[in-house]
Amino acid sequence: MLLRLYELSRPGDLLGVTEYDDGVLFGNALRLVSGAVPYRDFAVVQPPGSVLLMTPVALLAKVTGTAWGLAIARILTVCADTANVILLGILVRHRGAFTVGVACGLYAVYPDALIAAHTFLLEPWLNLCCLAGAVLIFDGDRMAGTAPRPGHGPRAARTAADTRRLVLGGVAFGFAVAVKIWALLPLALAVLLLAVTARRRRPVGALAAGAALGLGVPLLPFAVLAPGALLRDVLVSQLVRNANGSRDLSGRLADVSGLQLLPAGYPQHLLLLLIGAVVAGLVAAGYLARERRPRMLDAYALLGAVAVTAMLLWPRLYYSHYGAFEGPFLALAVALPAGLLTARPDAGRAKEAALPAVAAAVLVTVLVAIGVGQFRAESGTRGIQVTAEADRLIPPGACVVTNDAPFTVVADRFFSSRPGCPAMVDPFGTFFAMTGGDERHSSAVVLAPVVALWHTTLEQATYVWLTGDTVAQIPWNSGLYGYFRRHFRLIGLAGQPVPSRDVPRPGLYLRT
């Protein structure tokens, strides 16, 4: 929590602009509490779970202002990611204190988890729901609904308790899918492991029913109001998105391994091979020490780590906060066999007492070193503060259209009191959702609906606030750019001209 709160203590990080995604995600909830329906009235490229999670905070933002509303969402995200550390400890506490220390310690300082927790992003909440589901469906090393432990009460009572745990765990996993569809992977893995080991079909049905409930309840209202738009926005954004980028496998593996803390010029490939060999040797040695195959929890951790790594290596577009989803599986995959190494049954008492102590000392040293590195990495971050000039230039309640929602959110100019003000929150997501995920190479015919949408949007706007190069968000053509030049003039917040031709320079524009 200290590392995560330290991030928010940096200048501009709590009440400034630090990301594009957080303003969009929180802006979706702000639009919902203003009466606009996601998917029907504006494009949302994620499932509705995050919108529902932030709806209470969005309602509070009507009193505190949107800047403090986003700040509260950021603080809650820190709390959620700290809770992930606790849930990891609960999941493995039956393996002993050293296993708990490794699992919790690794996630506590995992670089990508810290990157994701610095503002309101989906991965900390996704991990929270998935870990809650894992804690519910696992009873020690076994899964609820498989062979019960002896001496735990009447069989009927144990069966009923297991069924409740599976249903509740399924609900948690189902809501995780409603937050981000990546959760389908750990859910499918849990269902597969349960189907392989359970003697009856009832446990699998309980888990599946809970997942259907956890996903269906938040999804149903939006599926009824805008079924086509829901499928188009979410599936296009996650499955057929054709973004620029390259599959830099070694770079992504280095990111997932936490090597971004090291200075430039280190032998990346050599260190990746070394880390891979150490982890593989640790896993093999841990299970050989006990002379047994991995149990259900071990299988879930190992298979999940491999599957999530493969998932993160596949797409062309990648950001470091995506790697946070790997954090819990990586922590479990390392901690579970490491814990076995410190409790060899054939060791003498002196050795048995000394080995965990030495291992704990090494662990503490490594975690402190990584923590210090994280503090240094975070000490240079700065958010962008725009409140003062925006207050001077934009009256409260004005209709402001922007390509970068975080700026209007932190400036408390997101809400408009003028009827008919455009509801668009995510221009980038709107662009690729309306063009089938191939917005940069679409023909004029494909772009025509997007151009028409922006023409209508500009006609309704009083202010237009542009930041950076807007080519990937607004389909500028001669007609749209000509209309903009005739009806809007630059009044402030100007940025450097962009290299693209026939594209407005960044800044705040007022309708003339």
Side-chain angles (χ1 to χ4, degrees):
M1 177 168 275
L2 179 61
L3 282 168
R4 288 152 177 78
L5 289 177
Y6 178 69
E7 289 185 293
L8 293 185
S9 74
R10 305 304 303 157
D13 275 20
L14 182 62
L15 292 169
V17 177
T18 61
E19 287 277 346
Y20 175 83
D21 288 353
D22 60 352
V24 168
L25 293 168
F26 190 62
N28 294 335
L30 293 174
R31 284 283 183 259
L32 177 62
V33 301
S34 300
V37 178
Y39 311 106
R40 188 192 69 182
D41 299 329
F42 61 97
V44 178
V45 297
Q46 296 289 351
S50 61
V51 179
L52 299 177
L53 277 172
M54 287 298 135
T55 295
V57 184
L59 287 170
L60 183 61
K62 287 182 169 288
V63 178
T64 65
T66 56
W68 271 106
L70 180 57
I72 293 169
R74 288 168 171 168
I75 294 170
L76 289 175
T77 303
V78 165
C79 296
D81 206 44
T82 304
N84 290 333
V85 180
I86 299 170
L87 288 173
L88 275 168
I90 294 173
L91 187 60
V92 301
R93 62 182 174 181
H94 63 283
R95 291 285 191 92
F98 181 75
T99 304
V100 171
V102 175
C104 295
L106 286 178
Y107 189 83
V109 299
Y110 187 59
D112 287 349
L114 287 159
I115 291 171
H118 85 280
T119 188
F120 173 45
L121 295 174
L122 297 182
E123 285 74 18
W125 299 94
L126 174 65
N127 288 344
L128 181 68
C129 295
C130 289
L131 283 170
V135 167
L136 285 165
I137 68 173
F138 279 98
D139 179 13
D141 286 330
R142 63 178 280 271
M143 296 183 78
T146 58
R149 293 178 178 178
H152 279 63
R155 181 174 180 179
R158 295 197 305 265
T159 301
D162 281 355
T163 300
R164 284 194 300 270
R165 294 184 63 148
L166 289 170
V167 171
L168 292 174
V171 169
F173 274 115
F175 189 78
V177 179
V179 172
K180 196 165 187 173
I181 62 174
W182 289 0
L184 283 172
L185 194 152
L187 172 59
L189 180 58
V191 171
L192 176 63
L193 290 174
L194 189 60
V196 170
T197 56
R199 297 175 180 176
R200 297 172 298 163
R201 296 181 180 178
R202 183 176 178 178
V204 179
L207 180 60
L213 185 65
L215 175 61
V217 170
L219 210 64
L220 182 61
F222 306 102
V224 170
L225 293 171
L230 174 64
L231 289 173
R232 181 200 67 188
D233 291 359
V234 175
L235 292 182
V236 165
S237 69
Q238 299 297 326
L239 300 180
V240 298
R241 181 175 176 181
N242 186 18
N244 285 344
S246 61
R247 295 188 180 96
D248 179 11
L249 300 186
S250 63
R252 292 191 194 180
L253 286 173
D255 180 86
V256 170
S257 302
L259 295 181
Q260 68 266 51
L261 290 176
L262 298 178
Y266 66 89
Q268 183 183 93
H269 294 85
L270 180 61
L271 285 178
L272 283 174
L273 289 173
L274 179 61
I275 291 173
V278 169
V279 172
L282 177 67
V283 170
Y287 296 116
L288 288 174
R290 286 291 189 181
E291 297 182 351
R292 65 167 175 82
R293 294 178 299 175
R295 296 177 182 172
M296 296 303 299
L297 182 60
D298 303 80
Y300 178 77
L302 293 171
L303 293 175
V306 172
V308 171
T309 300
M311 183 194 75
L312 293 176
L313 293 177
W314 175 253
R316 294 199 298 173
L317 188 66
Y318 178 83
Y319 298 103
S320 288
H321 61 84
Y322 291 176
F325 189 45
E326 175 78 21
F329 291 101
L330 190 62
L332 290 172
V334 173
L336 292 171
L340 293 177
L341 282 175
T342 63
R344 293 189 59 170
D346 57 342
R349 289 187 177 182
K351 183 185 290 187
E352 195 169 317
L355 186 57
V358 172
V362 173
L363 173 66
V364 169
T365 303
V366 170
L367 295 182
V368 168
I370 297 175
V372 170
Q374 284 291 355
F375 270 112
R376 290 178 177 175
E378 293 165 18
S379 64
T381 61
R382 295 290 189 278
I384 302 173
Q385 296 173 304
V386 295
T387 304
E389 191 171 0
D391 278 343
R392 179 176 62 84
L393 294 172
I394 308 173
C399 181
V400 185
V401 168
T402 182
N403 68 305
D404 209 340
F407 283 85
T408 52
V409 171
V410 303
D412 278 326
R413 293 300 184 266
F414 188 87
F415 288 129
S416 173
S417 59
R418 203 198 77 183
C421 187
M424 186 188 303
V425 178
D426 182 7
F428 181 71
T430 301
F431 200 164
F432 70 70
M434 295 183 69
T435 57
D438 193 15
E439 77 279 5
R440 291 181 180 270
H441 306 96
S442 298
S443 65
V445 175
V446 175
L447 290 176
V450 194
V451 173
L453 173 64
W454 269 102
H455 209 289
T456 303
T457 298
L458 294 177
E459 288 176 346
Q460 296 170 337
T462 304
Y463 293 85
V464 176
W465 191 349
L466 302 178
T467 66
D469 190 350
T470 58
V471 171
Q473 300 162 313
I474 304 175
W476 297 108
N477 60 14
S478 57
L480 189 62
Y481 182 59
Y483 177 87
F484 183 85
R485 292 187 62 182
R486 290 192 302 271
H487 293 89
F488 291 91
R489 64 181 177 88
L490 182 66
I491 63 172
L493 296 168
Q496 294 296 320
V498 296
S500 306
R501 298 180 59 187
D502 298 330
V503 174
R505 69 180 296 180
L508 180 66
Y509 294 81
L510 173 66
R511 174 174 290 280
T512 56

